[in-house]
Structures are given as structure tokens and as C-alpha cells.
Amino acid sequence: MHETFGKLSRTTAGAHAPDGTLDLPHRPRRNRRADWARRLTRETTLTVDDLIWPIFLIDGEMRREPVASMPGVERFSIDEAVRAVSEAAALGVPAVALFPFTDPELRDPDGREALNGGNLVCRALRALKREVPHIGLITDVALDPYTSHGHDGVLDGDRILNDATVELLVLQALTQAEAGADVIAPSDMMDGRVGAIRAGLDEAGRADVQIMAYAAKYASAFYGPFRDAIGTKKALVGDKKTYQMDPANGDEAEREAELDVAEGADMLMVKPGLPYLDIVRRLKDRFRMPTYAYQVSGEYAMIAAAAQNGWLDRDAAMLESLACFKRAGADGVLTYFAPEAARRMKER
Ligand code: PBG
């Protein structure tokens, strides 16, 4: 007992100095004692350049519709989207990601509206390219906003058909690229879609369009509010577990990312975000690719709802959660907080 204490005293426990304080060999708190010291020793920094803003689109004009399960988030008609995206661009947000609420009348089992060059997303792309030319435009490739059953692919009975879906996804990507998409982000999790989309884009003379692969997208409960926002919640039959990944798996995320990199992905994404920071770190360390995390609708809703109840400080929780993505190795974050976070960072 006495001996153990003797050993400890040299390394951690310390002896008493004449003034009565402990004579500790290490005092990590020294580097935290003032703001200037904390700034000087900070390992990672969140900036506006790290933010991608996902927005929801609706038909019509001069319409802003709140999303009930995402307090502070609105769906925009195209003219309002142009206004909101201009503001985000002025704040320095580098890119936006577009998600349409498709009129239920336009949804069918094969999601044909996805291939319509005049659909909501394509019209928004053209307007945004014209009015806000310097912001990056990212579009989601997946059929779920357009299918009557809410799945990301086409069905045979209750089976999601992989290869038949991939053929449609390539056409969807080409339709979006044609309308002005800078980055194609396949979120469908079909096998082989990154390679097929890359080949399709290249053949169509669109070698400059980037692909941000949802490399590791999990079958998550945290997408609930998003499905409200784009109106697929009631439509969805069953779940997405035969194509989205099992939340229990990490090695599989590496295998998925390896395929996407081999198939030509320019950037990798992990989704959801905060519960999957270990996956962000693993992909970043292994592939050294530009790597992004999607702080999804349910993660936004948790912070927003707790803040609404006075249980969390909205600004502090928002900025802390975003900074943690950087620490975990992400190069950027898709977040519904993007313009708000940009504004707060500017004020500081
Ligand atoms: C659809 C898609 C989803 C999200 C982005 N693209 C939902 C899903 O897979 O059901 C979720 C985003 C969020 O929750 O914020 N392919």
C-alpha cells in the first residue's frame, strides 16, 4: 500500500510544495486557462467552408411551409429557394443539396417522374444555376421521392430490384446533370450504381460532374422527420433494410467505401452523422478521401426539440455537434443548421 503510493507520487500524485499545492509533473489545465491559449492549442476548427445545406423544395410560388418535425426548417417553392440560397451563398456556404416534395399524383411504382427534365428538382437546378451561379449544387439520386411505395428502387413483388434500379438511377443522374447539378449524390445504396453513373456521365460528355457517394448509409430511425418533409412517410411500405446498412456493422462500411472509391467516387459520405462518428474516422483514415457526414433530420430534430423545451442551448449544441464532425475526420457536414451556423460563426 505504502509502496504503491510511493510510486504514484513521483508520476501523478505529486508531493506537497512549500505553499501547500500539489507538485504535479503534468497540469493539462495550463493550456486551457485562457481563451487565447485554448485557441492556440485547438486541434480542429469548424468554418463556413465545412457546411453543406440540404433544402426541401415544393411546387408553387412564394411558398414557405414549415416542416412540423423539424422546428426552424421550411420547404421552399423555387423562387423562395433562390432567395434562401442567395442568402446562404452570401454567408459563404459552399454548397446546397436539393430534396423535392413530389406531388403524390406524380408518383408511380417506377418513379418515372425522376427522369422528367422538367421535374421540381430540375427546374430548381436551372433557376439556382442562373441566379446563384457560385454555389455548388448537389442532387440526390434515388427514386424514393418519386415512387408510390416510397422505396429507393423498383420492385418485383416486395423485392427491390438492384440492376433494373441502377439503369434508372443512371438516367436520373444524367437528367440532373443536364439541368445543372454539379455533384451527383447517390443515396439509394444499390450495388454498382457509382460505377454505372460515372460511366453514364462520362459517355454523355459530363466527365466534370462529381460523385459524392453515400458510401455508408445505414437503415436508420433518424430519417423519420425527412420522410415527413418529402412526404414519403405514409407512402413507405415496409423498411429499407435490404439495401441500407445494418447499424451494427463497421467493417462492412469499409467494404462499401472501397467499392465506391474503385467505381470512381470523388467524395465519400457517412449517414447518419453523430451516432456514426467511428465510421467517419475509419473511412477517413483508410481511404484519405474527401469525407462528409450527414447530420440527418432526426439529429436536427433532437437538438431543435430539446432547445424548444429549454433543455438545451440551441446555438451551443449546434456548434458543438458540428465541430465534433471535424474532430472525427470529416471534411464537411451536410446539416440543416448550415445558414444558422454560418451566421453564428460570423458573429463571433
Ligand atoms: C432517400 C434519402 C433519405 C435521406 C436522404 N436521402 C431518407 C431515406 O433513405 O429514407 C435522409 C436525410 C435525413 O434524414 O435528413 N434516399
Side-chain angles (χ1 to χ4, degrees):
M1 184 68 193
H2 193 258
E3 247 179 36
T4 314
F5 181 74
K7 263 185 218 155
L8 268 178
S9 73
R10 289 226 40 87
T11 54
T12 56
H16 286 279
D19 68 356
T21 57
L22 286 171
D23 178 19
L24 294 175
H26 300 291
R27 284 187 181 270
R29 289 184 54 195
R30 267 198 287 264
N31 286 340
R32 296 178 210 140
R33 74 188 168 87
D35 182 61
W36 66 262
R38 291 191 292 273
R39 284 192 285 130
L40 204 55
T41 55
R42 189 160 293 151
E43 298 174 37
T44 52
T45 317
L46 178 74
T47 78
V48 70
D49 295 335
D50 301 317
L51 304 175
I52 297 171
W53 188 29
I55 62 168
F56 299 116
L57 301 166
I58 42 172
D59 265 314
E61 269 171 55
M62 292 174 62
R63 283 178 73 198
R64 285 184 181 231
E65 227 176 63
V67 178
S69 49
M70 300 177 75
V73 170
E74 297 173 302
R75 305 182 188 95
F76 302 118
S77 56
I78 293 176
D79 53 337
E80 292 295 329
V82 166
R83 240 184 297 282
V85 171
S86 303
E87 282 169 28
L91 287 163
V93 173
V96 291
L98 310 182
F99 295 95
F101 178 99
T102 307
D103 180 347
E105 305 234 307
L106 295 173
R107 302 183 198 196
D108 67 21
D110 296 335
R112 294 281 154 184
E113 176 67 4
L115 313 185
N116 171 7
N119 69 22
L120 184 55
V121 161
C122 291
R123 281 182 280 127
L125 282 167
R126 288 194 201 90
L128 290 167
K129 241 321 151 232
R130 190 177 59 236
E131 305 292 334
V132 203
H134 299 301
I135 201 159
L137 300 178
I138 303 175
T139 50
D140 206 68
V141 162
L143 298 180
D144 58 320
Y146 308 102
T147 52
S148 42
H149 43 72
H151 279 290
D152 294 31
V154 290
L155 303 176
D156 175 17
D158 57 4
R159 247 173 12 107
I160 313 290
L161 297 178
N162 193 88
D163 301 9
T165 298
V166 169
E167 281 179 32
L168 294 175
L169 297 175
V170 172
L171 297 175
Q172 183 184 19
L174 289 175
T175 307
Q176 294 172 349
E178 189 69 37
D182 298 298
V183 181
I184 298 293
S187 73
D188 54 282
M189 290 302 279
M190 296 300 127
D191 295 334
R193 89 281 203 217
V194 170
I197 290 170
R198 182 71 273 157
L201 289 169
D202 291 356
E203 271 165 39
R206 304 226 167 251
D208 53 345
V209 173
Q210 291 146 276
I211 297 180
M212 175 186 278
Y214 283 67
K217 175 170 177 176
Y218 288 88
S220 171
F222 292 99
Y223 307 148
F226 173 95
R227 293 179 191 165
D228 272 343
I230 68 161
T232 57
K233 191 168 216 157
K234 279 193 215 115
L236 184 63
V237 181
D239 58 49
K240 301 191 176 185
K241 290 179 186 170
T242 70
Y243 45 109
Q244 299 179 350
M245 286 175 51
D246 182 338
N249 296 353
D251 291 342
E252 188 186 357
E254 292 195 32
R255 296 198 299 274
E256 277 280 2
E258 190 169 17
L259 290 171
D260 288 355
V261 172
E263 290 175 30
D266 301 286
M267 310 169 185
L268 299 178
M269 192 216 292
V270 173
K271 176 184 181 177
L274 284 189
Y276 296 83
L277 288 185
D278 57 321
I279 308 299
V280 173
R281 170 54 67 195
R282 284 172 73 161
L283 298 195
K284 185 64 185 175
D285 284 350
R286 171 135 174 220
F287 299 102
R288 298 269 144 208
M289 292 285 289
T291 303
Y292 302 84
Y294 198 142
Q295 182 178 48
V296 299
S297 55
E299 300 176 65
Y300 174 90
M302 288 195 292
I303 294 176
Q308 229 172 23
N309 276 307
W311 297 339
L312 275 182
D313 175 331
R314 180 172 169 121
D315 281 359
M318 164 180 79
L319 292 173
E320 178 181 331
S321 65
L322 294 173
C324 290
F325 287 106
K326 294 297 296 290
R327 190 203 62 236
D331 295 287
V333 190
L334 288 94
T335 174
Y336 300 97
F337 287 118
E340 188 178 342
R343 224 169 272 125
R344 288 299 160 275
M345 285 190 278
K346 209 170 187 180
E347 283 163 12
R348 290 188 164 192

